[in-house]
Amino acid sequence: MMMDEKYIPEYGVEGEKKRSSRTQQVIVIGSGLAGLASACVLAARGHAVTVLEKNDWFGGKAAVLNADGYRFDMGPTILTLPSVLRRVFSEADRDLDDYLELIRLDPQWRCFFESDSDRSGDSRFDEQANVLDLVADVDSMAQNIFKFTSSQKDADGYRRFLKMSEQLHGVSDRFYFWKSIGGIRDTIDVGGAFSAAVLKDVMSLKMGKSVASVVRSHVPDKRVAQMVDHFTQYVGSSPYASPAVLCGIAHMQTEEGIWYPVGGTRAVPEALTKLALDLGVTMRCGTDVMRITSENGRVTGVVTANNESIRATAVVSNCDAVRTYRELLDGTPQSEKFERKNHYEAACSGVVLYLGLNRRYKHLLHHNFVFSRDPEVEFDFIYNKGEPAPDPSAYVCAPAISEPEVAPADGEALYVLVHTPYLRSNHDWKQMLPGYREVILNKLERTGGLENIRDAIVYESALTPEDIHHRYRVLDGAIYGLASHGRFVGAFKPANRRTDFAGLYLAGGAAHPGPGMPMVLMSGWIAADSLDQDSTTF
């Protein structure tokens, strides 16, 4: 092995493609990004794969809305760590660039904060005082922070934070990524647990500390801290309750950047679907799987809503992990055992507004965050009280700056996401949405400088937690699968390789390593790789 090759324990040299010695008949339930990644990797390794999708499109949440000349990505809009996607294509000796065009975005985000005048009721927007751009280069970002805060302490603290984040990223690469993990015992080889190197890595994880506490120990300015907190919003959890190891996400993003797929995020599942078809995968939409069948602790196939029985030697479920056990495996002893031990909590949900505008707001970048006045109050409402925050943060995507074709001339296909609690029994979003829409639009006007936005809207649609729950069959409408709460074990999700059912594998945001586009793609790769490793024992 050459010195510059990257070695991953159990998997060999990174990018090395293994071929199965025994072909399996595999069903992939669901065609989200994880399901598509699994299907492509398994087909590339010689397995016979069928993808079953209940909706009439492939790609799960990465769907598209076309209306009145506007095109909206309906789900994820931020692509980081493109190396994960490239690895999926490399399994088939294919070049991602032949399937997908990517544009790097830098600045990565524009952040809008409320000033004291905003809080006193003065709605004047001051871009100079209230706006901070996140750029990839650490030294340039530190200079931005110094100009914004007039504090060298915050600028130097950001540099130290990114250095620490890089270390956490390295630990994640060694112990957490690219293999099936269900808990802390799976991350460390017990035989090497007492080596100095392993102990040093374990100590560096800052066990028992939250993301928010670590962030604020580096950058005391509350606005900068709020921006840095939002690196972890890819996992849909409160930074006050999430483990500090998730601070490693910051380095992952700054190292590889943020990218825009030409054609929108929808272009990613389209590229994966094309690859799957090129590799001979059978793709069936409009096929709703109702049950996974099994005999003697081994999966045998699935039954669809049309009562069609399809045999298989292995199943990859890209459905929500909890709902897989609760619904698709209902009535089995394994389902009952999973429920008894189920300590998982749904991550947050959200309201998405799709706003077709007859104008562009020139001060917006492609990705923008319009922040709440007090994040601690905001997160308390969402994660503890279980109610929509009265003063929320809003993510705003304005893609026309990168691809004007998303809207009519001089228009904008604005995507606005506000996190909300996961769906509770007392939530009726048909009644709640109109009032919360006004809260969101007021926030965009007051803090984001989107003056007279109501007058600019010529097309509008929305997605609520209730819609998300039914449309994507996720747990309680959670956008990001399972919450990453718990300062010691919050980063752990259900393992991809199941030990209770031979031939069952989980992939997606509610399985290891968790939510976010690169993580679900990695989840699909891990499920496929685990299945392929096990295939000689089926």
Side-chain angles (χ1 to χ4, degrees):
M1 184 174 69
M2 300 296 292
M3 291 300 293
D4 60 347
E5 289 176 326
K6 184 176 181 181
Y7 186 79
I8 300 175
E10 301 183 34
Y11 302 97
V13 178
E14 183 176 18
E16 178 183 325
K17 293 167 284 297
K18 300 182 284 279
R19 298 291 181 258
S20 173
S21 60
R22 183 177 176 186
T23 299
Q24 302 300 320
Q25 300 291 324
V26 182
I27 289 174
V28 177
I29 304 173
S31 69
L33 295 177
L36 291 174
S38 274
C40 291
V41 172
L42 287 165
R45 296 193 185 182
H47 299 286
V49 184
T50 299
V51 174
L52 305 179
E53 168 57 54
K54 80 179 184 71
N55 292 311
D56 58 3
W57 69 90
F58 300 115
K61 298 186 191 74
V64 66
L65 171 62
N66 288 293
D68 296 351
Y70 296 91
R71 190 190 76 217
F72 303 91
D73 280 321
M74 295 195 72
T77 59
I78 300 179
L79 175 61
T80 62
L81 294 179
S83 61
V84 179
L85 187 58
R86 290 189 183 280
R87 183 165 182 173
V88 172
F89 278 79
S90 74
E91 288 278 348
D93 294 317
R94 306 297 173 92
D95 188 340
L96 173 64
D97 297 329
D98 293 334
Y99 289 77
L100 188 66
E101 180 183 354
L102 297 176
I103 299 172
R104 188 165 191 154
L105 303 179
D106 201 11
Q108 298 181 338
W109 304 334
R110 175 157 286 175
C111 303
F112 297 86
F113 302 93
E114 289 209 5
S115 66
D116 292 337
S117 61
D118 290 328
R119 302 177 193 192
S120 65
D122 187 340
S123 62
R124 289 175 298 176
F125 172 72
D126 185 349
E127 185 172 345
Q128 288 289 97
N130 300 342
V131 173
L132 175 63
D133 286 349
L134 174 68
V135 297
D137 181 77
V138 177
D139 288 334
S140 298
M141 189 62 214
Q143 292 174 14
N144 283 0
I145 290 172
F146 177 75
K147 292 176 183 176
F148 186 68
T149 64
S150 301
S151 167
Q152 192 63 47
K153 184 176 182 180
D154 286 294
D156 292 342
Y158 182 79
R159 287 191 182 93
R160 288 188 294 104
F161 175 81
L162 260 294
K163 199 70 180 172
M164 176 211 65
S165 178
E166 181 179 8
Q167 182 184 22
L168 292 176
H169 182 188
V171 173
S172 296
D173 275 340
R174 289 190 291 278
F175 296 110
Y176 190 72
F177 292 151
W178 301 109
K179 59 181 177 179
S180 178
I181 295 292
I184 195 165
R185 289 183 179 179
D186 297 332
T187 66
I188 299 174
D189 176 12
V190 175
F194 294 98
S195 72
V198 171
L199 286 176
K200 181 180 179 182
D201 282 336
V202 171
M203 294 298 291
S204 75
L205 293 176
K206 302 185 181 299
M207 302 290 280
K209 294 185 177 181
S210 69
V211 167
S213 66
V214 171
V215 168
R216 281 150 186 78
S217 71
H218 288 80
V219 285
D221 184 274
K222 59 185 179 182
R223 297 164 301 173
V224 178
Q226 195 171 11
M227 178 198 75
V228 177
D229 279 344
H230 266 61
F231 281 116
T232 64
Q233 287 305 286
Y234 296 116
V235 301
S237 302
S238 168
Y240 295 93
S242 301
V245 68
L246 295 179
C247 292
I249 295 172
H251 180 258
M252 298 177 201
Q253 177 173 314
T254 55
E255 181 182 45
E256 286 200 36
I258 284 181
W259 299 78
Y260 174 69
V262 175
T265 306
R266 176 66 194 161
V268 176
E270 288 176 350
L272 287 166
T273 299
K274 184 177 186 303
L275 176 62
L277 292 171
D278 289 348
L279 296 173
V281 175
T282 300
M283 306 286 293
R284 291 178 55 180
C285 60
T287 306
D288 194 1
V289 173
M290 305 304 292
R291 189 168 75 255
I292 297 172
T293 58
S294 64
E295 293 178 6
N296 301 319
R298 177 178 292 279
V299 299
T300 58
V302 301
V303 177
T304 72
N306 294 329
N307 209 31
E308 178 186 7
S309 294
I310 307 174
R311 301 286 291 183
T313 53
V315 171
V316 176
S317 178
N318 187 201
C319 299
D320 178 273
V322 173
R323 293 186 72 172
T324 293
Y325 273 85
R326 184 175 293 169
E327 297 171 17
L328 300 185
L329 294 166
D330 184 37
T332 65
Q334 294 89 336
S335 173
E336 295 174 4
K337 183 177 180 180
F338 185 92
E339 284 291 271
R340 285 197 302 271
K341 293 186 174 182
N342 181 11
H343 61 275
Y344 301 108
E345 177 189 8
C348 68
S349 188
V351 167
V352 187
L353 301 181
Y354 308 100
L355 306 178
L357 307 183
N358 60 13
R359 57 165 294 189
R360 293 185 195 171
Y361 289 92
K362 302 296 185 182
H363 65 289
L364 293 180
L365 294 182
H366 191 118
H367 298 301
N368 309 268
F369 284 99
V370 180
F371 284 116
S372 64
R373 290 186 296 271
D374 189 329
E376 200 162 357
V377 171
E378 176 190 10
F379 291 128
D380 183 53
F381 267 92
I382 296 171
Y383 297 104
N384 298 327
K385 295 179 179 178
E387 295 296 336
D391 178 51
S393 295
Y395 162 69
V396 180
C397 182
I401 189 174
S402 302
E403 190 175 4
E405 293 77 10
V406 300
D410 300 319
E412 181 61 86
L414 204 68
Y415 170 110
V416 182
L417 167 64
V418 169
H419 285 163
T420 68
Y422 61 80
L423 194 61
R424 278 16 183 230
S425 59
N426 64 315
H427 290 172
D428 181 352
W429 276 100
K430 292 181 178 64
Q431 298 294 323
M432 295 163 64
L433 179 62
Y436 208 54
R437 172 189 182 271
E438 294 304 303
V439 171
I440 295 169
L441 295 182
N442 288 340
K443 181 70 181 181
L444 297 182
E445 284 191 324
R446 183 178 71 250
T447 310
L450 276 64
E451 296 180 358
N452 302 315
I453 187 172
R454 291 171 179 81
D455 296 335
I457 298 172
V458 295
Y459 171 82
E460 182 171 357
S461 186
L463 206 62
T464 69
E466 189 173 356
D467 299 326
I468 294 165
H469 177 78
H470 295 295
R471 180 181 174 93
Y472 303 118
R473 193 168 282 168
V474 294
L475 181 65
D476 297 326
I479 299 174
Y480 307 93
L482 302 176
S484 297
H485 291 163
R487 297 182 183 185
F488 288 93
V489 296
F492 296 108
K493 305 292 185 291
N496 313 92
R497 175 191 279 119
R498 309 309 296 166
T499 57
D500 49 358
F501 280 105
L504 176 63
Y505 303 83
L506 301 180
H512 174 74
M517 289 184 70
M519 295 300 104
V520 298
L521 289 164
M522 188 187 296
S523 178
W525 186 95
I526 296 169
D529 185 68
S530 299
L531 191 162
D532 185 57
Q533 288 182 47
D534 298 341
S535 62
T536 57
T537 66
F538 288 175

